[in-house]
Amino acid sequence: MMNPPEKGPKEPKIRLSSRVIYEVTLQYIGSLTALRQRDPTVIFFSNLRKAVDAITVELATNNWPPKVNYTAVYRGIKQRGFYGCDFDVAGMRVFRIKIVPRILNPALPRLGIDENPAK
């Protein structure tokens, strides 16, 4: 009978406290914004696939062309750090969709505090 291999002392697993979330911003641009002022809409998603699916469903519901797909968004984020896509009607830009990865709960810096010299 074989004995199982001996393992060294267990080290605690350290979980990173930071997670990547995706900020989806819809910003109205172009000359049409002068007629109807609108604030940008910002939504956060924890999963890139869900963000892209939500965008494609809303575009299809409102009869906009399906310019956004997962592969294009993923490549844009990897290459440039963000993904942006403009939508236009008759050569006039109407709105822009921008997807930016953000870090949720980043690791805290030392805040510039030195060690206490008195013991």
Side-chain angles (χ1 to χ4, degrees):
M1 221 159 84
M2 296 183 74
N3 293 332
E6 292 183 28
K7 295 181 182 178
K10 287 188 178 181
E11 294 181 18
K13 290 184 180 180
I14 298 174
R15 290 186 66 190
L16 298 175
S17 62
S18 61
R19 278 184 62 173
V20 175
I21 61 172
Y22 297 93
E23 175 185 299
V24 177
T25 306
L26 180 107
Q27 182 177 9
Y28 289 90
I29 55 177
S31 61
L32 295 177
T33 57
L35 300 174
R36 190 165 87 176
Q37 293 290 331
R38 289 178 132 179
D39 291 331
T41 302
V42 180
I43 303 170
F44 295 94
F45 290 90
S46 61
N47 185 314
L48 184 59
R49 171 66 69 185
K50 290 183 181 184
V52 172
D53 288 346
I55 293 168
T56 54
V57 166
E58 284 300 315
L59 290 173
T61 302
N62 293 303
N63 294 323
W64 287 97
K67 288 184 174 181
V68 180
N69 63 47
Y70 181 80
T71 305
V73 172
Y74 183 80
R75 285 182 184 163
I77 289 174
K78 287 295 180 186
Q79 291 173 356
R80 295 184 308 266
F82 71 95
Y83 172 80
C85 184
D86 293 345
F87 289 83
D88 57 356
V89 172
M92 301 293 291
R93 294 187 307 169
V94 179
F95 65 91
R96 172 181 294 141
I97 292 177
K98 189 172 183 181
I99 302 173
V100 180
R102 301 283 186 203
I103 296 188
L104 179 68
N105 298 332
L108 292 175
R110 293 193 56 207
L111 302 174
I113 300 173
D114 294 331
E115 186 175 340
N116 186 353
K119 290 196 177 197

